[in-house]
Each structure stands twice: as C-alpha cells, then as structure tokens.
C-alpha cells in the first residue's frame, strides 16, 4: 500500500502515522524527520536545509525530491506512508514519475484542521529526539513528565514551533501545499478526515477509510 498524508502543520500527520505504521506494517517516510536527522548529524543536506526550516519556508524542491526518492527505494514490499512529502505540485509530479503507472499512490489521507487549532498544538508539542515519538503537554502527555515513553530520552521542543514561525508555516502551507489536494482529487482517491477531534477519534476514522482499501 502506498499512502500520502496531507495536512497543515500540526494537523496530526506524525501522530496518525505512528498508528498506521503499527497497524499495516508500512514504512513511515517523514521528510521533516529525515531533514531533522540530517541536521543533527551535521550533513551537507542538513546544513542546506537549516535556514529554510527555521524560518518555516519550504526547502527547495530539487533537494527534497532527491532525498525522498532515495528513501522510497528502501521501502519494504508492504509499502510506505509519506508524511510531509510531496508538499508542492512539482514534488507530486516528480513522485508520480518515479513510481510509474504500476506503482501509483493508492490513497491520500487529507487531515483537515482550522488554523485556529494549530497554534496551541504546535507550541505544546514535545518530541523525542531519538525515536521521533510526538507528545503534547496537555493532549498527549508522556507517562513521566519530560521523558519519552519508549526510550526514556529527554523530550525537546522543535525550534520551528514558536508562534511567529508557526504563522509562516501555515501561510506556506496554504500557498504551496494546499493546491495538492485538488491535484490528487483528479489523480487518486482522497479521504478527507476531520482532524480537530481527539487523537483516538481521528485514528478510528483513518482506520475506517483504510479498511475500505484493504478490502
Ligand atoms: P515537518 O516536520 O513535515 O512539519 P509539518 O508538516 O509542519 O508538520 P508537523 O510535524 O509540525 O505537524 P504534524 O501534522 O506531523 O503534527 P503532529 O502529529 O506532530 O516539516 C518541517 C519543515 O521541514 C518544513 O517547515 C520545511 O521547512 C521542511 N520540509 C519538510 N518536508 C518538506 C518538503 N516536502 N518540501 C520542502 N520542505 C520540506 O501533532 C502536532 C501536536 O499536536 C503534537 O503535540 C500532538 O501531540 C498534538 N496532536 C496531534 N493530534 C492531535 C489531536 N487529534 N488532538 C489534539 N492534539 C493533537
């Protein structure tokens, strides 16, 4: 199964991916996580991406397309879920070209959320720098405050989760990424999911839609 997950920053893409991966054995390919790993490792790619990410702008298409094409080649036969890629129509066209007709995307999950909900989610987010698990100081607390449930690592706040950068990320999303929803409505099956419910409710809706694909 090949799935694309769309949604504004803070819509809950990373949170829902963890559930989908556990249920269907797909590989989770998050462009944001791959970029952050490159930054932590001090690679050339990470250095090139840094200023764009910290400002809440998109990293240039050429860099991202090459990085994600390499990642997709390593996916298992069960398939993958793309989180944060594609993010421009250019990237989507490149993805379609690299998959070819036999490998087309099976479905797009479009997490819908109002901008007004996003800021509280982003400023309260805490992430595990080791395994990427995502928490929230109010909505999804770890068992021990400040520590990851999975590996005990100290949770961190992302540098691009400040209110000013979140505003720019939302603006970037509306201008450059939202047009992808229409692109995919013409080329694929799009499931619209209301993402302003609690995480378990969103998970139930996602599962229901994906079950129709499995059948
Ligand atoms: P990326 O890491 O992809 O960030 P994003 O798309 O902005 O999305 P987020 O990770 O912030 O949010 P999410 O939807 O995953 O929400 P989450 O589950 O964490 O990209 C970062 C940067 O990298 C970009 O700005 C860009 O510079 C660059 N980049 C990446 N991909 C690129 C590309 N393809 N092209 C160019 N540049 C690229 O949830 C958020 C919070 O809310 C958490 O605290 C969570 O616990 C909580 N939460 C989740 N669901 C719920 C719920 N249902 N109810 C209440 N709280 C919830």
């Amino acid at each position: 199964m090949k799935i694309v997950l769309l949604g504004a920053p803070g819509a809950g893409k990373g949170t829902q991916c963890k559930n989908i991966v556990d249920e269907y054995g797909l590989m989770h390919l998050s462009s944001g996580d791959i970029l952050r790993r490159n930054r932590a490792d001090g690679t050339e790619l990470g250095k090139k991406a840094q200023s764009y990410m910290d400002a809440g702008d998109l990293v240039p298409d050429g860099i991202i397309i090459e990085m994600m094409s390499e990642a997709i080649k390593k996916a298992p036969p069960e398939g993958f879920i793309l989180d944060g890629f594609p993010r421009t129509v250019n990237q989507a066209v490149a993805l379609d070209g690299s998959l070819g007709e036999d490998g087309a995307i099976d479905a797009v999950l479009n997490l819908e959320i109002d901008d007004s909900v996003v800021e509280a989610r982003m400023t309260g987010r805490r992430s595990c720098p080791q395994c990427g698990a995502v928490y929230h100081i109010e909505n999804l607390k770890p068992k021990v405050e400040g520590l990851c449930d999975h590996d005990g690592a100290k949770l961190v706040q992302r540098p691009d989760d400040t209110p000013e950068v979140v505003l720019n990320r939302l603006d970037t999303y509306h201008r450059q990424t939202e047009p992808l929803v229409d692109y995919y409505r013409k080329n694929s099956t799009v499931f619209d999911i209301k993402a302003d419910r609690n995480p378990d409710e969103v998970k139930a809706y996602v599962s229901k839609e994906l079950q129709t694909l499995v059948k």
Side-chain angles (χ1 to χ4, degrees):
M1 195 151 49
K2 300 182 191 68
I3 297 173
V4 166
L5 194 51
L6 292 179
K13 301 184 294 297
T15 303
Q16 294 304 322
C17 272
K18 297 273 178 228
N19 303 327
I20 298 166
V21 163
D22 290 347
E23 205 170 332
Y24 296 96
L26 306 179
M27 185 181 241
H28 178 199
L29 296 174
S30 157
S31 48
D33 286 351
I34 298 174
L35 288 167
R36 280 183 286 278
R37 270 200 298 278
N38 273 278
R39 284 182 64 167
D41 293 346
T43 67
E44 274 311 304
L45 172 63
K47 285 178 196 152
K48 279 185 198 158
Q50 185 162 336
S51 61
Y52 299 99
M53 295 174 79
D54 287 349
D57 294 328
L58 293 187
V59 176
D61 282 346
I63 297 177
I64 294 290
I65 290 167
E66 192 184 337
M67 177 186 93
M68 293 309 286
S69 303
E70 286 305 311
I72 288 170
K73 280 185 200 154
K74 294 177 193 145
E78 289 79 11
F80 53 79
I81 177 155
L82 293 172
D83 164 9
F85 175 83
R87 230 172 171 108
T88 62
V89 173
N90 239 348
Q91 292 179 16
V93 171
L95 173 65
D96 286 347
S98 71
L99 293 175
E101 274 182 29
D102 293 341
I105 293 296
D106 296 295
V108 175
L109 296 169
N110 177 35
L111 299 187
E112 297 180 310
I113 192 144
D114 206 78
D115 287 4
S116 58
V117 182
V118 166
E119 189 179 332
R121 282 197 185 180
M122 310 290 271
T123 49
R125 169 167 51 191
R126 299 292 181 271
S127 325
C128 174
Q130 287 190 26
C131 72
V134 181
Y135 302 88
H136 190 278
I137 53 172
E138 300 290 340
N139 309 329
L140 263 178
K141 296 181 184 178
K143 289 182 190 127
V144 179
E145 195 183 330
L147 301 180
C148 179
D149 291 350
H150 306 292
D151 50 33
K154 196 161 180 254
L155 301 179
V156 294
Q157 187 167 21
R158 276 173 41 177
D160 58 348
D161 276 350
T162 61
E164 314 79 67
V165 180
V166 168
L167 274 182
N168 190 41
R169 287 165 65 193
L170 277 171
D171 179 58
T172 304
Y173 169 77
H174 290 303
R175 281 186 296 105
Q176 294 183 264
T177 306
E178 212 167 21
L180 272 183
V181 179
D182 278 341
Y183 172 87
Y184 278 118
R185 284 200 204 287
K186 290 179 198 142
N187 299 302
S188 190
T189 306
V190 178
F191 296 116
D192 295 315
I193 315 267
K194 296 244 169 294
D196 54 358
R197 308 172 167 110
N198 76 51
D200 286 340
E201 281 179 271
V202 179
K203 177 184 173 185
Y205 278 93
V206 167
S207 276
K208 193 170 138 237
E209 300 295 20
L210 289 183
Q211 277 308 316
T212 64
L213 278 186
V214 173
K215 281 176 194 156

